[in-house]
Structures are given as structure tokens and as C-alpha cells.
Amino acid sequence: MAFDFKKEYREFYLPKEKPEIVCVPAANYVAVRGMGDPNEEGGAYKAAVGVLYAVAYTIKMSKMGDHRMDGYYDFVVPPLEGFWWQEGVQGVDYASKAAFHWISVIRLPDFVTEAEFHWAVQEATRKKQLDCSKAEFFTIHEGLCVQSLHIGPFDSEPATVARMDDYLAQNGYENAFSAERLHHEIYLSDARRVSPEKWKTVIRHPIRKI
């Protein structure tokens, strides 16, 4: 059976709607950085997502070709994730999407070394006839965070964030956003097939004890 990150790491991928505190260990991702409105048709964000999936599926399907990765195991490609920020803004301002900076990511299995990652980028570029040169091997250690499941469209996320902030205040914590610790979203729904009111998104924020 293929390794499924959502099932194996339920505490990080399948939280409840009630806010909770977690300590997130370091993890490796395929990442593409950019800026601008993620909803722009034909924009940089949609192009970045295409690159991420091209590289991730090249790694997954390497078992079918001549290239063998040490320690390879079959896996379900993890959900799309994103780190978001805007200059001079604590958290995010949902009304100013054009001002977004983002790092769009998909988690990598532990067997993927930097060398194997670069092979996958070159192979995806060759096979898919797609420029994957912006893909990077990205490692982040989020550490202490608060997270919650948000159900509904992205524009209604502030209500969930407000509940997270209230939870922090009641339990002696505060947000700890910085250039390295960012607003984090994990997208559990296929927006092409699920209506917006049913979208499921994990929202995660960096925190510290007061």
C-alpha cells in the first residue's frame, strides 16, 4: 500500500475545526516562489502549481523507469501547501491578494535527497516539455504552531483565524510571525471538483509562549 502522508501524520494534515497547538518537525518540500494574486488566470501561481506536480509525479513514477532512488517507497502525492505573506502585514490581508508573496510547496518523501531532487527537475523538464527551473529543494522547521481546519472559501478564513487568536490569548500564547515563520495553508480539497463552501484547508500559524 502506498505511503499516505495524510494518514501517517494525521496530527499535521487532518486537524479538527477546534484550534490546537502542535510542534511541527523539519520537512523537505519541492517549492516554487512567487508573488501576486493566486486567482489570476494564467498567472505565476497557477504556473508554479503545475511545476510542483510535474516534479512530484516524476519522483513518484520513477519506479517505472530505469532510474532507481535508494530507499524508494511508493507514496500518495501529498496535498498542495502554501506559505503566504505581505510586506508590512502581520499574518495576511485577504483583501489585498495582488500584494501576496508566496512559497507554494508539496512535501517530499524522506528518501528524496537534493541530488535526486535535481534529477527529478531535469527529468520533468524533459518529459513534460515544461520549464521547471524555478523548482527548489526547500526545508523548513516550523516548530511550535497553532492550527485549525477551515471549512469554506478562502475569503472566509478570517473567522477561523480569529478563533485561533482567541485560543492563543486564552492559553498564554501569541503569534510569532517573521521572515522565516509564515502563514501556512494546506489544501485538502480539489477546488475543481468541490464547491467552495465545502473546501477544507488547514491553517497554521507560528506561535510562542508569552
Side-chain angles (χ1 to χ4, degrees):
M1 183 178 294
F3 184 92
D4 189 335
F5 286 88
K6 296 192 299 298
K7 294 179 179 178
E8 297 296 331
Y9 301 117
R10 296 180 66 88
E11 67 271 34
F12 303 129
Y13 287 95
L14 299 173
K16 307 291 187 184
E17 289 183 75
K18 180 181 177 181
E20 61 184 6
I21 292 172
V22 291
C23 191
V24 186
N28 298 326
Y29 299 85
V30 50
V32 176
R33 299 171 187 262
M35 62 179 299
D37 188 341
N39 298 319
E40 180 186 353
E41 285 299 328
Y45 180 78
K46 294 186 185 299
V49 171
V51 169
L52 296 180
Y53 278 109
V55 174
Y57 274 100
T58 295
I59 293 169
K60 174 178 171 62
M61 300 310 296
S62 64
K63 63 182 181 180
M64 305 298 291
D66 296 331
H67 187 85
R68 294 289 183 267
M69 298 187 182
D70 288 342
Y72 176 94
Y73 50 82
D74 193 18
F75 63 98
V76 177
V77 172
L80 179 69
E81 309 183 35
F83 296 91
W84 301 84
W85 74 98
Q86 294 149 315
E87 298 296 338
V89 175
Q90 179 87 341
V92 297
D93 177 1
Y94 294 84
S96 300
K97 294 183 175 63
F100 273 134
H101 294 257
W102 39 263
I103 308 172
S104 191
V105 304
I106 293 177
R107 187 166 176 173
L108 294 171
D110 293 341
F111 65 80
V112 180
T113 63
E114 287 197 58
E116 295 289 14
F117 171 81
H118 291 303
W119 170 86
V121 170
Q122 294 175 353
E123 186 72 357
T125 299
R126 182 181 70 83
K127 279 196 167 184
K128 305 289 186 182
Q129 295 296 296
L130 179 69
D131 181 7
C132 297
S133 60
K134 290 185 177 180
E136 62 180 89
F137 187 88
F138 178 68
T139 302
I140 189 167
H141 184 186
E142 291 185 84
L144 194 65
C145 295
V146 62
Q147 65 181 17
S148 179
L149 179 65
H150 171 74
I151 299 179
F154 301 133
D155 285 344
S156 67
E157 286 185 9
T160 298
V161 170
R163 288 196 297 273
M164 293 164 62
D165 289 345
D166 288 344
Y167 177 82
L168 294 180
Q170 293 167 13
N171 289 276
Y173 293 88
E174 62 183 4
N175 289 304
F177 295 107
S178 70
E180 292 77 32
R181 305 188 74 201
L182 304 165
H183 174 94
H184 184 183
E185 298 184 355
I186 304 173
Y187 309 108
L188 302 179
S189 302
D190 185 340
R192 300 167 300 178
R193 301 180 180 179
V194 179
S195 57
E197 66 270 15
K198 296 181 180 178
W199 288 350
K200 294 182 177 181
T201 306
V202 180
I203 301 175
R204 185 181 296 159
H205 285 171
I207 63 172
R208 58 177 167 247
K209 190 73 174 175
I210 296 176

